[in-house]
Each structure stands twice: as C-alpha cells, then as structure tokens.
Amino acid sequence: MCGIVGIVSSDPVNQQIYDSLLLLQHRGQDSTGIATAEGDQFHMVKARGQVREAYRTRDMRALMGNVGLGHVRYATRGDAHREEEAQPFYVNAPYGIILVHNGNLTNTRELTAELYNVDRRHLNTHSDTELLLNVLANELQSGIRGLSSLGIDQVFDAVARVHRRIEGSYSVISMIAGHGLLAFRDPKGIRPLVLGRRDSENGDDWVVASESLVLESGGYEVVRDVEPGEAILISPDGKMSSRQCAQNPELVPCAFEYIYLARPDSVLSGISVYEARLRLGDELADQVRAELPDLDIDVVMPIPDSGRPSAMQLAQRLGVPYREGFFKNHYVGRTFIMPGQAVRKRSVRQKLNAMHAEFRGKNVLLVDDSIVRGTTSREIVEMARAAGAKSVTFASAAPPVLFPHVYGINMPTRAELIAHGRTSEEIAAELGADHLIYQTVEGMDRAILAGQDRVTRLEQSCFTGEYIAGNVDEEYLAWVESSQSS
C-alpha cells in the first residue's frame, strides 16, 4: 500500500503535488518522492521519511513544470531503509519515463529472469516498481518503428502488453517525456485510482490519485474511478484519452481499503469509506449479541482512529454509552504499517495513552478495525487493565486475518498472524482479553457492498485464502515467507 498522485495543470504542479502527498501520508511513511516535467526535462527529488521533513524550499524551486507525479511509500517488497528504493523510478529510454506504483506484483521471479535474459535490462534494486517500469519501457520501445513518433494507440497497445506480462495488483502513474501523463490500473482493480478534472483559464486541469479526498481538497471534480485494466493518457496541454487495455477486466477492490487503509473521507469505487465503517459497526454489534447475549458492557471505546466509526455505530446499536478512553498522539505513525515488529511494539505506547477515569471499575468493550499480528491489541488490553478496567472484551470490525496478503499489504508470513492456527478463545488468551469477537466474512461483505451494485465482490484473500490475481499457490506463499520479512 502506497499513495500516488499525478497532475497535469496550466499552473506549476510542485505545490499541488506536495499538498496532495500530505493528504496521502497515511498510506505510507517510509519515504516520499516528487517528479515534474518541464518540457522534455524531468526534475526529481526523493528522500526517506515523511513529506513535511523530506522537502526543502530549494527542492520545491527545482521541481518546475506543469506535469508531475508524487509518491509516499509503505514498503512491502525490498528494503524500507534504502533511499535507492524510494519512488519515483526513472529510465532514459524510450524518450525518458518516470513511474510510481501502488500495489504488489506476484510474478517478480519470472519477470526478473525475462528482463535479464530476454529484454537485456539491468535492475538496480529489489523493488517491483523498477520491474514494472522496465516492462513498460520495453513494451513502449517494441511498439516504435524506425523514426516514427510515439502515438496514443502505441501507448495503449504497450499497456495491453504490460497487462499480459505482469501479475498482481498495481495502480500506476507515469510520465513519458514530451508526451504527458500515463495512468493505468490492474485488470482486477485491486488498488484504487481516481480521476478528477477542473476548469482553468487555459483548458482542463487533470489529477489521478489513490483517494478521492485529494481531488476534493484541490478543487477538482471527481470524474470517476479509473476502470480496472483501463489506461488514461493526458497530454501536457490537457487532452485526455482513455482505452480499456485488458482482457476480461473485473472490479474487485481490496476489502482492507475500506476497513483500515483509506481515509474515512474518501469514496472508492463509489463506496464511502466512512459509511462502510459505520455499517461494519452494525454488523459487529449483531455478532456481539449473537455470540455473547448475556455480556455485561458498561462502555464501548474505539481504538483510534480507524476503529472509531465502527465503535460509534456498535455502541448506538447495542444501546451502550460510547466513550473515548484512549488519547492518541498523532505525531506517531500508523503502527500497523511500520516496518519491523520491535518498532511497532515500541510505538503503541508512544501513540496511545489510556485515560484512567474512563476505565476504572468498568466492563469495557474495545473496538478496533482489525487484528493482524496482535502486537497493538495486546498492548492496548494491558493498558486498559492497568487503567482499572473491571473486564475487557475486544471486538474486531474485520474477520480473522488468517492468510498472507500478497497484493500490497505487509503481511507476508502466516506465522506472524495471531489468528492463524488459533481459535477465538486462544487468541483472546494471547491478547489477555476476557472475550474476543470477530466480524464474519459475510458481515464484512454486507457492510461494504451495501447500497450499490457496481462492486459485487471484494479482494479478501487474507481472510479467505482465495487469491484472485496471479498464480498464487502454496509454493509461491512459501517463497514469500522465506524471502520477505515484515
């Protein structure tokens, strides 16, 4: 999971991209990068850390041009600490291409061999984004004949060949020197990408971004989501062209976007993230009633921030008082997406502090968006008991996470998942909770998909073990577990 944005404007885009990345910071905090195009010349700045610390005034002055893209990184492949693996990535032929990517490729071994043995291309990192960039560059190069220039159809034909070669999840934004901004999405639409437009004195300004809140904040009208398998090409003067480039595309967005990853004020694939989380609370309340009908609850409390909408709705549905028992330090990053278990554990107590007056002598029901490794949940239960809670029941708005996630979320091994191979009672004991309630997969589907007919199913492999993109089998999962760490 990363955050990406691309803009074609009648005005310089450096500040617009910077502001957009601030809004997408929740999607990645390892590193960030901005690239702009000034005519045929690219300018690029990238650095480790968060957006506010990464760029200086001199950097912004250097990022000239009316076309640009940006990235905030959450590492799922490669080394989170290597600045060389920060995006964007660049190749100088054909024409010069810069690219950012959100997602995860699942046939990286085969692609690496093909690029070396067939395409004769050198890779300098372990990033699958560099792989994707070189595949795109190779397919663009193969579509150019003699001295002919690169046309729109050639670009879209190249994207169609990219779709046939790569597997997994990918939302991509790239710049081709002298030709504008190219954006495309994998044939299953697993990772989000939204298109927006606004009027300007010199024509249309365009933006593509991971979440709709970027568009709304910048004064853009949300045109639509980029369709699964679709490619969009926007020329430097604001002319937009699009084409479906995949065979048998199907919209199957990632369930975790609605549960945790996206900001609640975003709308993805026509589904409000905030409203989906409220409905998750309704479904979870029904599950609490079904599993623990005689449970004595004095107060419902959220684990801030992403657990808040579900907790509010659950409390209302159960008729139990809602309280904020934890104060959150917003200057600490999201612990789930931090690299390294030791860093996550240390950050929990830096991020949250329990207010004793809300816990003392009460039977508390804590609601979080999900339970992955259990590190955060275990620390939170300990904090609640230390603050004087009489009993602690823990509820997850998501189902048990049982399987690795290979499409862009850092859950590579089954051994690290607290629910893998354990019953709910065993997990509750591991967390130190008196009771544990999980959302059901069916309840999650009803909550997220309610009230619309565009999306009929969700990518939910970490809950069900059903992998919808690429040849993900037991051998592949074993390789992922042996070669990657979270």
Side-chain angles (χ1 to χ4, degrees):
M1 178 196 75
C2 298
I4 58 175
V5 60
I7 296 176
V8 177
S9 176
S10 55
D11 300 313
V13 295
N14 50 4
Q15 187 66 49
Q16 297 180 59
I17 293 173
Y18 177 91
D19 293 342
S20 299
L21 293 181
L22 285 176
L23 294 171
L24 294 172
Q25 187 73 84
H26 61 285
R27 298 187 67 88
Q29 297 146 26
D30 296 337
S31 62
T32 180
I34 297 175
T36 58
E38 185 181 17
D40 290 336
Q41 184 178 11
F42 288 143
H43 308 287
M44 182 163 58
V45 176
K46 55 183 183 177
R48 287 176 56 190
Q50 299 185 24
V51 174
R52 285 196 183 277
E53 294 114 28
Y55 304 103
R56 300 289 180 264
T57 301
R58 64 178 178 272
D59 298 325
M60 301 304 290
R61 287 174 177 163
L63 291 166
M64 300 307 297
N66 291 18
V67 181
L69 51 75
H71 183 269
V72 288
R73 185 186 187 213
Y74 151 63
T76 56
R77 196 182 299 277
D79 189 342
H81 302 291
R82 286 190 65 197
E83 193 167 311
E84 295 87 349
E85 298 199 0
Q87 299 184 37
F89 279 86
Y90 165 76
V91 292
N92 66 354
Y95 301 102
I97 306 170
I98 285 183
L99 181 144
V100 293
H101 157 231
N102 172 31
N104 222 57
L105 306 188
T106 58
N107 62 333
T108 55
R109 292 175 294 177
E110 297 85 349
L111 286 174
T112 299
E114 285 177 14
L115 284 169
Y116 183 80
N117 296 315
V118 180
D119 301 328
R120 307 302 185 191
R121 285 182 172 268
H122 172 257
L123 300 174
N124 201 46
T125 71
H126 298 291
S127 170
D128 57 352
T129 306
E130 189 185 19
L131 270 171
L132 204 161
L133 170 62
N134 277 274
V135 171
L136 174 63
N138 192 75
E139 296 307 327
L140 285 169
Q141 185 77 57
S142 68
I144 301 170
R145 297 288 179 265
L147 299 177
S148 63
S149 60
L150 185 65
I152 293 174
D153 287 338
Q154 289 169 304
V155 173
F156 290 152
D157 289 344
V159 173
R161 292 192 294 274
V162 169
H163 284 322
R164 291 196 288 270
R165 287 188 67 178
I166 65 177
E167 299 174 358
S169 68
Y170 49 95
S171 287
V172 174
I173 304 173
S174 65
M175 292 187 296
I176 306 172
H179 292 79
L181 195 78
L182 171 67
F184 56 94
R185 196 175 176 195
D186 72 73
K188 297 293 186 183
I190 297 172
R191 301 260 73 86
L193 198 61
V194 188
L195 174 69
R197 186 196 65 83
R198 71 181 180 192
D199 295 325
S200 71
E201 292 182 0
N202 300 315
D204 291 332
D205 290 354
W206 295 93
V207 60
V208 280
S210 294
E211 297 188 29
S212 65
L213 70 102
V214 171
L215 284 57
E216 294 159 5
S217 176
Y220 290 85
E221 170 196 359
V222 176
V223 176
R224 58 181 174 83
D225 292 82
V226 177
E227 294 295 326
E230 182 185 25
I232 289 175
L233 182 65
I234 305 169
S235 66
D237 60 356
K239 301 292 191 301
M240 194 275 281
S241 304
S242 66
R243 194 174 96 185
Q244 177 54 252
C245 298
Q247 297 177 340
N248 304 315
E250 178 189 12
L251 180 58
V252 193
C254 176
F256 241 98
E257 290 284 352
Y258 301 97
I259 292 167
Y260 174 79
L261 301 180
R263 261 183 43 165
D265 46 342
S266 284
V267 177
L268 304 177
S269 302
I271 301 172
S272 163
V273 175
Y274 181 74
E275 291 177 4
R277 290 177 185 171
L278 290 177
R279 293 191 295 267
L280 285 167
D282 283 330
E283 293 286 345
L284 187 58
D286 292 344
Q287 196 64 25
V288 171
R289 280 202 190 107
E291 292 191 30
L292 297 170
D294 300 322
L295 181 62
D296 183 16
I297 304 171
D298 296 317
V299 63
V300 172
M301 294 182 184
I303 311 304
D305 287 314
S306 46
R308 186 172 285 120
S310 295
M312 289 192 301
Q313 198 70 5
L314 179 146
Q316 183 182 55
R317 197 169 183 97
L318 293 182
V320 176
Y322 170 89
R323 292 288 186 272
E324 295 279 349
F326 292 99
F327 178 79
K328 182 175 182 180
N329 176 4
H330 286 89
Y331 299 98
V332 177
R334 302 177 88 183
T335 52
F336 167 65
I337 66 174
M338 285 181 173
Q341 187 76 336
V343 176
R344 293 187 197 99
K345 186 170 183 178
R346 184 174 66 250
S347 296
V348 173
R349 292 188 183 251
Q350 293 175 335
K351 184 176 75 169
L352 295 176
N353 187 49
M355 293 182 278
H356 288 233
E358 292 293 349
F359 286 92
R360 195 173 295 117
K362 295 178 182 177
N363 298 311
V364 179
L365 173 58
L366 301 178
V367 180
D368 206 351
D369 56 85
S370 59
I371 305 170
V372 180
R373 299 168 184 87
T375 309
T376 301
S377 305
R378 189 181 296 112
E379 293 284 323
I380 285 169
V381 171
E382 289 180 8
M383 291 166 65
R385 293 201 185 280
K390 183 178 177 182
S391 70
V392 179
T393 299
F394 207 98
S396 168
V401 178
L402 301 170
F403 303 94
H405 197 292
V406 300
Y407 298 128
I409 302 177
N410 196 12
M411 308 175 190
T413 67
R414 282 162 282 199
E416 69 184 320
L417 304 174
I418 193 170
H420 183 76
R422 292 186 176 96
T423 66
S424 292
E425 291 76 16
E426 290 169 336
I427 300 167
E430 285 285 326
L431 300 181
D434 296 282
H435 307 284
L436 175 64
I437 306 292
Y438 274 111
Q439 183 79 265
T440 65
V441 172
E442 295 77 15
M444 176 188 70
D445 285 346
R446 285 193 298 269
I448 296 174
L449 300 178
Q452 55 83 46
D453 55 12
R454 182 165 182 249
V455 182
T456 58
R457 68 178 181 133
L458 300 166
E459 194 293 303
Q460 49 191 13
S461 55
C462 60
F463 307 121
T464 65
E466 179 190 358
Y467 296 94
I468 63 170
N471 296 312
V472 179
D473 55 16
E474 188 59 36
E475 185 277 331
Y476 176 79
L477 294 177
W479 173 76
V480 169
E481 293 188 356
S482 66
S483 62
Q484 297 179 39
S485 60
S486 64

